[in-house]
Amino acid sequence: MIPKFLKKRIFKAPVTTDSASNTDVNPIAPKPYSNAPINQIYRKLSGQLLDVAVKPKLLGELPEFDTDDQTLRFYVLQDYSRSNSILIDLQTQEHNLPPALVGVHDAAHNIKENAAIIFLNHPSAKDSQLSPRLSRLVSAVLQYPELKVRLVPVSILWGRAPEKEDSLFKLLTADNWQDPSITKQLFNIGVMGRDTFVQFHPPQDLRTLINDSLKGDEEGFSIFDSLATDSKENSTKEGNVKESSVKDSHLDITSSVGDADEAPNYALVATADSNRELVRMLQQRLTVYLDKQRASMLGPDLSDRRNLVDKLVYSPAIKHAIEAEAVESGISVREARVLAKGYANEMVNDYSHSIVRGFYKFLTWLWTQLYDGVEVHHFERVRELATDYELVYVPCHRSHVDYLLLSYVIYKRGLSIPYVAAGDNLDVPVLGPLLRGAVAFYIRRSFRGNALYTAVLREYMHTLITRNTPIEYFIEGGRSRSGRLLPPKMGMLAMTVHSQLRHSEKPVVFIPTYIGYERIMEGGTYVGELKGKPKESESLLGLLKVGRKIERIFGNVHLSFGTPLHLSDFMTKFDVPANSLPTDRTDTPLDDKASAMVDNIGVKIMQHINKAAVVTPVSLLSLVLLSAPKAALDEEICREQIALYQGLAQQLSYSDDTVITDMSPQQIIDYGIKLKLIERTPHILGDIIQIAGKQAALLSYFRNNILHVFILLSFLAALVARNGRIERSRLDNIAKQLYPFLQSELFLYYPAHGLADTLNKKVDSLLSHGLIVELSDGVLSVPESNSKCYQQLQVLATPVGQSLERYFMTLALLAQQGSGNLTESEVVDLCHLLGQRLSVLYADDIPDFFDRALFTSFISALTRLDYLQKDDETGVLTFDHRINDIARHAKYVLTPDMMQILQQVASLDEEEITHAITEISNKKQRKFGRKR
């Protein structure tokens, strides 16, 4: 596409005579540079001094070059300065890249440059501020079709503080076309030398850039066609040039760049004028590219907090909300404005680069104390989007450490840190202001019915999004206590969509992010809360208690960035038009299409988080040992079971984004012992591996992190193992009936309409490992009962059992109490109590079995699939015989003994139901009273 500045400079091909063409000199032809020894000495001494004062940090990946020795390579910097030149030269030497301050000579193509650096803003630029070296290289590439030139754009940041709007500091240090003064360079070196960052961007082929610039769009073609027409008319009028002489004195750009198929067939234009405009286009393109890279690393310019609060309160949208609040509450507009300003002060971030740098140094030390390493996967897909999209990070929520860990990883890898939506429970003395100065903006845990607060929050979110500020929020709404993903909360997601439909600067893209730990600080607290212990409020004392754990071993922590989800794709899918909401209102509701889109995005985000899961050594150990009788296995059998799980996960990967540990089974066992999660008991017949004392409940957390990866394999294994033999057709029918509930609980991404193909692949995988046997007529059977494969099948069949036990117990309770007798909340509360009792009496007292969220998910799935109907006024659930039909399928997976136990536990008479509901209600009231 031809840029505007080129359209304003429509030039005519000048008419020249033969004699004139012989005497004209190309103004951008290559010019020899002197390379005197004194310059080499100066560079060497300057490099040594700079190397002492400046300690740059490399961001991103190093560029990869072709092995072709004939390719010329140049580094592209935005602004000229001696310090930048020397810094890049030092970096190229340190990382074994082609040197930057060494002359580039190519006699065959008339190239003789004294350095391999191109400055887009060069003090020697005289041809309408064009880079002289870039101009010479473009001319050479046009002249020599075989010449290969690679450009490597480089970003240099002397400090990473986002610039303040209208600040004096910004004016004093602003970059311009002129040679940076010695004062400015010394300031950068002295003040910012230890906070300097360098990033080499992917190499770009100069000939390809020229081709892309020349192709343009249809409008671009018409411009060049008009040039040809004007040139022809002038030639006819003048009558002093023959066609052959015109061809001799002008450069055919198409033939110079490459074959006719590779470049547009533009009209002939004067060499000087055409090259000048072409260089201008290339220079602008490279400048925009580096500007975008800089913005992705620094973030947008900042207003100070007070100005931002005032802008929020006096924006048209909040003015309208204030007036509505005044009418609704019977207060004056001034009082309503004070209230809105108070809300804004509660939430608005107060970014301080000093605090961010302090956190960075502190966390660099902390992670080395806590973790063996921080492993990051698939980050490059985020970097590729950062320049052109509004990034919204949507990670799962495992720990309070998540807030800092994700921001640390993003900052360390060279992108600007996102503003994190944090619950106001973290706004405690000391810690709260520090987090607000670094990454956090605080929101209330609940603000249902508070229209003015909602309006201020929506407008603040809209302000951040339109200013292209990266944002992060935990879509689950709170930390998972069980290790499974919680159902998504749609509030923040709906606000993001609402903002995009009001006005958009950049398209929004969601970055699902998986966070996985191998030990977790809050582990003991989570187990207690699942067992009914009240949640402790955050406080400075709690922070100090956590600090006492710093010397403990927490293994590795993993961050995996899932496949990005583009909001525009969902808008197309649901036929939601862009800019369909008024820009000056926050209270315009989303229509049915947009609301359905928000729900779909929420589910897809959860599915993509699970697709990006990391199967760690600890999660594998947890899955294996918790499936074994008494949570113990012979060490050799344990190794074989771990190897089996690794083989299954690698042979038929859950997703291309899923990462499987590459540790050997023996290394995994030794690693678990090192973390004190398992222990080895020596025995003369073979050592035994078992879960360490009181660690079973904690290990269930890490098992649940990856349960979705193996759940279908476990389900199929259970169907075969519990029945001995089963027809494939019956297996498919049972799976089709029960899969929606597993999908809802674990956010499985396999679509229901393609489930049969997925099941066939899973069955084939089990067959290939010998875990099941296929007989004639499509019958699947267990292997020999005394074989190793049979034992492995029994262990693999165990993980799905807990989910199916919860389903059957819930269905049994509903069937026994009858339709129209219980509300949704009563069913969830009773199932929670029954699960607690069952876990203590018959199971291993692992609290995630009776997690309320799991029962809520199951009831929601039954309602969504229309097995349950909920009365809008009373909330009472009604159902028909299909509830019993689902329950009957349990006999194919659960043992008769377990089904009898579940039936007995779920058998409650009317008096027991009334007593239980009363006690639960009283407990909730006491809990609510403490919170108030």
Side-chain angles (χ1 to χ4, degrees), residues 491-549:
M492 296 296 290
L493 185 58
M495 289 186 187
T496 305
V497 172
H498 195 280
S499 172
Q500 185 78 353
L501 296 183
R502 286 174 62 189
H503 174 72
S504 59
E505 293 290 341
K506 288 184 177 180
V508 167
V509 61
F510 298 99
I511 311 295
T513 308
Y514 175 90
I515 303 176
Y517 298 91
E518 294 177 340
R519 290 200 69 167
I520 195 165
M521 285 188 180
E522 301 98 328
T525 303
Y526 288 173
V527 173
E529 290 178 12
L530 284 173
K531 289 185 175 182
K533 183 180 178 181
K535 177 181 178 294
E536 294 182 4
S537 300
E538 281 73 13
S539 64
L540 182 59
L541 179 61
L543 179 64
L544 295 175
K545 287 181 179 179
V546 171
R548 289 159 47 189
K549 302 180 181 181

Side-chain angles (χ1 to χ4, degrees), residues 331-542:
I331 59 178
S332 67
V333 171
R334 182 179 180 280
E335 290 173 322
R337 184 178 296 110
V338 170
L339 190 60
K341 192 168 185 177
Y343 292 154
N345 277 310
E346 281 184 28
M347 63 183 68
V348 170
N349 175 281
D350 189 18
Y351 185 93
S352 167
H353 185 61
S354 299
I355 293 179
V356 170
R357 286 189 64 189
F359 262 117
Y360 178 76
K361 293 179 179 179
F362 169 72
L363 293 176
T364 300
W365 169 82
L366 180 63
W367 302 148
T368 60
Q369 301 298 310
L370 287 177
Y371 305 114
D372 293 334
V374 178
E375 303 292 335
V376 181
H377 311 276
H378 313 309
F379 185 78
E380 284 308 310
R381 60 178 40 155
V382 181
R383 192 187 304 281
E384 292 171 0
L385 297 170
T387 56
D388 298 314
Y389 291 87
E390 166 64 20
L391 300 183
V392 179
Y393 298 91
V394 276
C396 59
H397 202 5
R398 310 289 199 203
S399 166
H400 279 319
V401 176
D402 299 344
Y403 294 99
L404 302 175
L405 184 64
L406 181 55
S407 296
Y408 174 85
V409 167
I410 293 170
Y411 184 82
K412 184 177 181 180
R413 279 157 179 76
L415 298 184
S416 61
I417 58 176
Y419 282 20
V420 184
D424 61 355
N425 57 312
L426 287 179
D427 193 10
V428 296
V430 182
L431 178 62
L434 287 175
L435 290 177
R436 188 191 296 274
V439 297
F441 65 94
Y442 293 112
I443 59 176
R444 296 181 179 181
R445 305 289 291 179
S446 177
F447 46 89
R448 186 185 300 273
N450 191 334
L452 184 58
Y453 184 92
T454 302
V456 174
L457 179 55
R458 281 184 175 177
E459 187 65 15
Y460 182 51
M461 284 283 292
H462 184 60
T463 300
L464 294 178
I465 291 172
T466 54
R467 291 166 63 87
N468 304 323
T469 304
I471 296 174
E472 172 192 337
Y473 48 77
F474 297 97
I475 194 169
E476 297 166 278
R479 292 167 293 156
S480 170
R481 268 65 174 175
S482 68
R484 294 176 175 87
L485 293 181
L486 301 175
K489 306 293 185 183
M490 301 302 182
M492 296 296 290
L493 185 58
M495 289 186 187
T496 305
V497 172
H498 195 280
S499 172
Q500 185 78 353
L501 296 183
R502 286 174 62 189
H503 174 72
S504 59
E505 293 290 341
K506 288 184 177 180
V508 167
V509 61
F510 298 99
I511 311 295
T513 308
Y514 175 90
I515 303 176
Y517 298 91
E518 294 177 340
R519 290 200 69 167
I520 195 165
M521 285 188 180
E522 301 98 328
T525 303
Y526 288 173
V527 173
E529 290 178 12
L530 284 173
K531 289 185 175 182
K533 183 180 178 181
K535 177 181 178 294
E536 294 182 4
S537 300
E538 281 73 13
S539 64
L540 182 59
L541 179 61

Side-chain angles (χ1 to χ4, degrees), residues 493-608:
L493 185 58
M495 289 186 187
T496 305
V497 172
H498 195 280
S499 172
Q500 185 78 353
L501 296 183
R502 286 174 62 189
H503 174 72
S504 59
E505 293 290 341
K506 288 184 177 180
V508 167
V509 61
F510 298 99
I511 311 295
T513 308
Y514 175 90
I515 303 176
Y517 298 91
E518 294 177 340
R519 290 200 69 167
I520 195 165
M521 285 188 180
E522 301 98 328
T525 303
Y526 288 173
V527 173
E529 290 178 12
L530 284 173
K531 289 185 175 182
K533 183 180 178 181
K535 177 181 178 294
E536 294 182 4
S537 300
E538 281 73 13
S539 64
L540 182 59
L541 179 61
L543 179 64
L544 295 175
K545 287 181 179 179
V546 171
R548 289 159 47 189
K549 302 180 181 181
I550 287 180
E551 296 301 325
R552 299 186 187 179
I553 303 173
F554 287 87
N556 288 293
V557 60
H558 298 264
L559 276 81
S560 182
F561 295 88
T563 301
L565 296 170
H566 294 263
L567 179 55
S568 58
D569 293 341
F570 290 92
M571 292 170 64
T572 301
K573 175 182 176 181
F574 285 86
D575 192 24
V576 176
N579 301 321
S580 54
L581 297 180
T583 59
D584 59 346
R585 296 285 291 274
T586 63
D587 57 350
T588 308
L590 298 176
D591 60 21
D592 292 341
K593 288 182 179 179
S595 297
M597 179 181 72
V598 169
D599 292 339
N600 186 249
I601 294 173
V603 172
K604 291 298 182 183
I605 287 173
M606 308 310 288
Q607 291 176 351
H608 277 64

Side-chain angles (χ1 to χ4, degrees), residues 700-725:
S700 70
Y701 184 95
F702 303 112
R703 174 200 60 190
N704 294 339
N705 288 173
I706 63 165
L707 191 57
H708 62 282
V709 176
F710 297 94
I711 196 67
L712 280 187
L713 290 168
S714 179
F715 181 49
L716 296 173
L719 283 171
V720 178
R722 302 293 181 262
N723 294 276
R725 294 185 180 184

